Amino acid sequence: MGWQPLSDPLDRTRFPVEPWSLREVSPSLADLGRTETLFAVGNGYLGMRANPEEGRVAYEHGTYINGFHETFRIRHAEDAYGFATVGQTMVNVPDTKVIRLYVDDEPLLLAVADLPHYERVLDFRSGQLVRRLTWRTPSGILAQIRSSRMVSLSERHLAVMTYEVVLDRDAPLTLASLTINRQDGEDEYHVSGPDAGDPSWDPRKTEVFHSRVLEPALAVRDPLTGRLELGYRCTNSAMTVALAVDERLETDSGFSRTDSLETDLAETRFTVQAKAGQPVKLVKMVAYHTSRGVPPAELASRCALTLDRADRSGLDQLELEQRDCLDQFWQRSDVVVHGQGAIQQAVRWNLFQVIQAAARAEGAGIPAKGVTGSGYSGHHFWDAEIYLLPFLTYTTPRWSRSALRFRYTMLDAARRRARELSETGALFPWRTINGEEASAFYAAGTAQYHIDADVAYALNQYLRATGDTDFLEREGIDILVETARMWNGLGFMRLDGGGGPAEFHIHGVTGPDEYTTVVNDNLFTNVMARFNLRAAADALRGIELTNPEAYSKAVARLDLSPDEPARWLESAGAMHIPYDSSLGINPQDDQFLEKEIWDLASTPPSQRPLLLHYHPLVIYRFQVLKQADVVLAQFLCAHDFTSDEKLADFDYYDPLTTRDSSLSAVAQGIMASEVGYQELGQKYFREALYVDLADVHGNASDGVHTASAGGVWSALVFGFGGLRDSDGQIRFDPRLPELWDGLTFRLTVSGARLRVDLRQEELTLTLEAGTQADVFVRGEPVHLSGSEPTVVALAGQGPRLIGAPTARDITGARRSDGSVITASVPPAVGDLTDGATGSDTG
Amino acid sequence: MGWQPLSDPLDRTRFPVEPWSLREVSPSLADLGRTETLFAVGNGYLGMRANPEEGRVAYEHGTYINGFHETFRIRHAEDAYGFATVGQTMVNVPDTKVIRLYVDDEPLLLAVADLPHYERVLDFRSGQLVRRLTWRTPSGILAQIRSSRMVSLSERHLAVMTYEVVLDRDAPLTLASLTINRQDGEDEYHVSGPDAGDPSWDPRKTEVFHSRVLEPALAVRDPLTGRLELGYRCTNSAMTVALAVDERLETDSGFSRTDSLETDLAETRFTVQAKAGQPVKLVKMVAYHTSRGVPPAELASRCALTLDRADRSGLDQLELEQRDCLDQFWQRSDVVVHGQGAIQQAVRWNLFQVIQAAARAEGAGIPAKGVTGSGYSGHHFWDAEIYLLPFLTYTTPRWSRSALRFRYTMLDAARRRARELSETGALFPWRTINGEEASAFYAAGTAQYHIDADVAYALNQYLRATGDTDFLEREGIDILVETARMWNGLGFMRLDGGGGPAEFHIHGVTGPDEYTTVVNDNLFTNVMARFNLRAAADALRGIELTNPEAYSKAVARLDLSPDEPARWLESAGAMHIPYDSSLGINPQDDQFLEKEIWDLASTPPSQRPLLLHYHPLVIYRFQVLKQADVVLAQFLCAHDFTSDEKLADFDYYDPLTTRDSSLSAVAQGIMASEVGYQELGQKYFREALYVDLADVHGNASDGVHTASAGGVWSALVFGFGGLRDSDGQIRFDPRLPELWDGLTFRLTVSGARLRVDLRQEELTLTLEAGTQADVFVRGEPVHLSGSEPTVVALAGQGPRLIGAPTARDITGARRSDGSVITASVPPAVGDLTDGATGSDTG
């Protein structure tokens, strides 16, 4: 679980550099969990981890459907009013991935098999996971095996698998295709190697149920076609799922088929008299449908529709459609890092994760792990709005709208939650699947009121980039107004002691940095709340001017009183923004600078991440950050701060930041590049880029860090491309790394698609679609029309500072034992022998 | 669960005023839980709630043994490093209270019986609960019944019960004596009236086990004597308990006896041919022994020893010993409120609760509910040190030493806990039975570091009052040193921005006021930590000067480095004490004054106590107090503050204080009297006095508020008697209420017993025991020797201010809607209709 150094992020003898795929050329049991995640396939609705077809040993045999969850009563060890009561957790839906091969009745077991050849490839253009093996069976037969697995982007509910075997001599061959309810049934072997970690305690892991989750509601097999239909209902949430499975064997060899069906296990067994050189190919098509309460039988008939259509299309056509979806995706979304093969591959892997997480989410939102793992219980967080949606907004805006509509559908729940917290308006939950707050730890959960502003920010960015007034007027405005109301009620006006004007304060909140909780005037929160208050007032004013009818409807729908927007603007204008003139920096909150400084340089790697080695009270007591939220605020609200402020704040916070949050590297890297620490910016970019590929946080096993994957695009486009849009304009101030030949990316703005080619000496802008666009390059307006490239010369790539900022002392302050407080590290945990004798080392 | 007004604290037609007892003259099902508590009997080791002998309907059939507990794994809904892991809860040991009466085979059921006469009396001098009934049976027989119940003060492990019946005509009569394991067995009817409340949610209630707690280990009955012996072992904690029961029938009528014995139920049934006018009397003697692991059979033999000795003594002798113990107690401890019969009765009830909680605790500590109920799971809190121990220290110091030794025995656990919290020294747990932290909510639990100083304070007070150098040198010094080390490591030196000297700050702690948590420089904590640091250094210096050998041993035992005490004194001298010069008050913490003020006057009673109606984050955000800890600090460390400061602070905090804590009224009342709000002081005194008798907090059902009961003595002696001892001297500055004729109390100091008779015009001091004492009265030294009274004339009873302080505005501050922020009340909870439409009323 410790920190991994980044010197060699991927073992290239096992994962060679390739531009359009991730390829593994030798199997390993040592990092099963990570590779299950890295090679997972999904479409944002349905996801399958990369468990080998043969099943058996695994970190987690996972198949997930976005939004399909079980609920449970949250039992607080010590309860209090308003604590979240209903837990939610993603369910592991029945596993259809299993296809077992027996030759001469000997099973193929990857862990022990003699495999002269092995490779599996996740192809970012075909959208398939393909595996090619040569297996020397115990009896000496050579079996050539090719298997493929695809979750369809064109058919939301469909997954297609194939398993093809060719033997080098005649032999009896059996293919057993299984469907297993692993959520409740007996599961297979789980890995217990170092990759599995200690499952007994990690607060980031998921809930475990001790009673049955999926109640069987339907289990039939069509006697004619052999089609399997299974249906279940979740015990508590009453959500329903059905799946249907078609299994078809293609071979010229003779074979027989037997089917079996039990509650949690269905099997179709093809027994083949395989002839040497004759392919034996199993095609398995699977459909999943889910609902909040539609009877499983009805869902099963929807599955049948899906499978019937898939049968009509056929395998080849489905694979073509898949490739076509991806071609279009890459046309809109690809980022080319010229001359950097390894980085290029990693960039595309990350962007591919975003389409796998978002493409067909369609109203279910985008969970922290997409559909690739059970980490964070399948919950939705603010990460989606801040780290993932910028990419979607600027490349596939309809996916962004879909994710934002997910928040709209949760608005009533957010209104109820605001009332529970004694506030007006709406308060979005810190973590949720169904809209109800599921965070059981308020200090680092419910107290993160900033989530309201994060939603408003992403919504505003989407509206600016698309001009989607329809969404604004009918739904978006409700989000903006209700979140603004929450802020205006949460904060209050107070005179400071110094005779200045009254300021608007927001107390008792936690910012994105979870190593400091429940503080007054968290800078990130206040800056974002100010943005939120203004965005709501501006949007209302805009609707009033352009669409009086929509405005009237909104006023009535929201019971808007005429003076509300003016009050929001007054609060926003009076917003207290912490500033310390002696240090020349923006304190993270009003008390932050009064704390001791944690000496990170002296904290050994064995004590990282801090959250797993120190009581929260210890961490909260120090100046030490999980992520630097002041720096994040200065990225998001770039135009609220001067360059000098950004540099001073970066200098101050960077040495205090553990980056124990996987979200940290993206914003920290973008701002490092902006203020001039360009090498540091690249270092942080690599940290984000390889967060899963190199398992930087030691928990890639639990699923893809989807927000970080989306953040890779932000790091490229905002960080190196120098894009800023916080004033509603598209502005570039590039920071191309010295060793890169160039960077090419696309932006879709108001329907036009702009290609940006960044080189060391120039920036070339080309309209790939649409008729015109207006941007700024280093403050100079550039008007684009037609398809001819516009070349803007660049005088360098911004300021360049050497190295990285280091911790500074607070002059003269010292502990009672005489030591300077900057070196105040808590004693090592577990050092009982020394401590128990009472030696006071301060 | 709401607040009860105090206009009529007790129904005097049901509970008549009497000086030496609490008498109930009519039964009621409406407040079963409260009367079970009010009439409970105990000796600090063993406690029995006042369930009627006949059993049946009850709020809680409780029998408790101090320190006898079961453990369980605390499951946190969201875990983090260092959170408490082992929960502890007091076990309901097998119930021997049940004696059922049948006449003509008709059972006496109190709830429906025809009772021409009913009374039960808890006698503060006999130490018995006695009940006298006349029952008109369904067949018209008149049965005179007298039952008694006594937990012996002289025999720690013994309880004695009698049940005597006289009929007015011959009839068959049965007495069934039962022993029931209610912890695991099927329980009887429980009350479901308003008194029971909603058991589903109150964070102050106890844990519930879902599996067997008491594993049977022994169940035998002596065939000759009929003596019952039962033994059990707790499933998780492995603690053991055994009990033995002797049942003897005394009557001239003929009778037969039958015994039965099952796992969780033993019964002895006496079937009597009762003659008119002939008494039938059952004497039931019970012994309980417990251990951390001694086999139950061994404990059973100890029970046999206890019962054999009791048999030899006989009932009369045991009752004499009980009365003798109490006579001595009252000689040392009685407080006479002259001319106030109702108050006198309530005072004695409270003081009687203290002997019932403390007399034979002997190393087990004194839990929050003593042995009278399962509230707070039988846990030990800081309340004991601050509210209970002063009474014990000044009247029965050996009980105080016993309670302090309980902390000493937990010192190693406290050392481990400090290490878990990354601190040096020792950190006593917020709540515990066995020494391990059991608080599952760190913000209002573990963060209350002040508990270390509270223990040191009580220890120091004890040492000053007794001069017990033996305890100091061998054990007490270890507590003082280890707590001082904790403080010196927790805090740190920091220069303020204004050019002043460096100050010692303590961050991230919660003071006694749980409506404000995890703050920097909580005044109470800093003041008490300063005290703790100095007390440790002073004590070490004292030992060094008076007993070099003991000093050397302590240095070696504690691995004390020579410069440690100097560092403690340096930290203490530099301690930051929050002060706001513009308001002229001591802020509760460094951020307190920056918060909005909660308008308590506009908060309806239905929303009280706040903790049951508002999310902690809402409460924490406002200036609103559960108890005023600045005021408490100014009581405890009286000499650290000027009179002006105390008045200003009282004026500021009193209107902000909800007194939702039962501990609030005592300190608030004492300081109200001191600063001059004498009527308010009396109001708060009444609130403390009747906290259980009038069920002020709605949870008297769960057991006696032991600390509040002890606090009544503090309110009398410190509050009205004007005692202060924080500089090590006994100082009086009386505040006798205008309507009281006088107040008499005793203080035991250095072995001498001083009687203090306070009248409006004079204070009379008399040595009842010992040869001399030195005190101060209003600053003038008074030397006492011999038995002659010393009379000191008093010019009045201190300052008298009218009314009570009221909330003040913070001038000019206002919310964005124009309202003044002093009137900033969160919207009513549950007001969804209004809120959901989005009306922003600020």
Side-chain angles (χ1 to χ4, degrees), chain A residues 81 485 493 621 814 829 838, chain B residues 81 485 493 507 814 829 838:
Chain A
Y81 179 87
R485 282 169 165 167
M493 296 290 274
R621 191 173 289 128
R814 61 190 179 74
V829 183
Chain B
Y81 179 87
R485 282 169 166 166
M493 297 290 273
H507 279 187
R814 60 191 180 74
V829 183

